[in-house]
Structure formats: structure tokens, C-alpha cells
Amino acid sequence: MKYVDGFVVAVPAANKEAYREMAAKAAPIFKEFGALRVVECWADDVPDGNVTDFRMAVQAQEDEEVVFSWIEYPSQEVRDAANQKLMSDPRMKALGDEMPFDGKRMIFGGFVPILDE
């Protein structure tokens, strides 16, 4: 069964291109280690909520936009093995050293699809 890692992060609007470039460098590495698909989405229609919303979830500031992304794997086992390889890969370490956003406010998790049409 497929497995999905999901991420939400606040990125300074001025860093949109730097974020896209970082993601474009990371995607082939994820795929090398077994990812089927890497998707990065820049906020376009993200309404403010009364109780919670995407912006609140990542404590986005006025000058920041929300990025919603996911990585699809063929299984949780492939994802777990990929994460082990990613943690020790020097290319990922280099990308981590130049993140154009505050990684401490990223929310993420692994998900088992329950509907995929």
C-alpha cells in the first residue's frame, strides 16, 4: 500500500524562488531513494480561520506564505528506508544548511492513504 509524507511550512514570500530551487534539487534525491512523486504547492487560496488554519499551524508571519507538500512512496517500508538514507546523505545535509525558511515551524507526518481515486 502506498505511503505519503506530508509537510506544511511557512516561507518568506521573498524566498519563493530559492525554495523552488531547493525543492527542485531535493526531489531527484527523494526519487533516487524510492519516492514515486514529490509535490510542492505554494499558497494561492488559503483563508484565515477562526479557530485554526494553515497559517496558524506554522505560525506564518505577514511576509510569509504557506507551502503544502507531499512525497508519495510505494509503501511505508520504502519510505522508512528512504528516510534512513536521506539522513546520512551529504546532498541533503547541504540542502538543509541552506533552507530558505524556518524549519522549526515545519509540521510533517506520515500518512496511510484511505482513498485514492
Side-chain angles (χ1 to χ4, degrees), residues 17-30 38-40 67 69 95 100:
E17 184 56 22
Y19 183 89
R20 192 201 62 74
E21 289 173 4
M22 180 201 67
K25 290 176 186 174
I29 302 169
F30 285 108
V38 178
V39 179
E40 299 280 352
V67 173
S69 58
L95 288 173

Side-chain angles (χ1 to χ4, degrees), residues 4-9 19 30 39-41 54 58 66-71 73 83 106-109 111:
V4 175
D5 274 343
F7 307 87
V8 180
V9 66
Y19 183 89
F30 285 108
V39 179
E40 299 280 352
C41 305
F54 279 105
V58 293
V66 174
V67 173
F68 173 67
S69 58
W70 68 93
I71 303 170
Y73 292 94
N83 280 346
M106 177 191 300
I107 59 173
F108 58 91
F111 299 85

Side-chain angles (χ1 to χ4, degrees), residues 32-54:
E32 177 183 328
F33 294 143
L36 301 171
R37 184 173 177 208
V38 178
V39 179
E40 299 280 352
C41 305
W42 192 262
D44 179 59
D45 183 15
V46 179
D48 292 335
N50 292 323
V51 178
T52 191
D53 61 38
F54 279 105

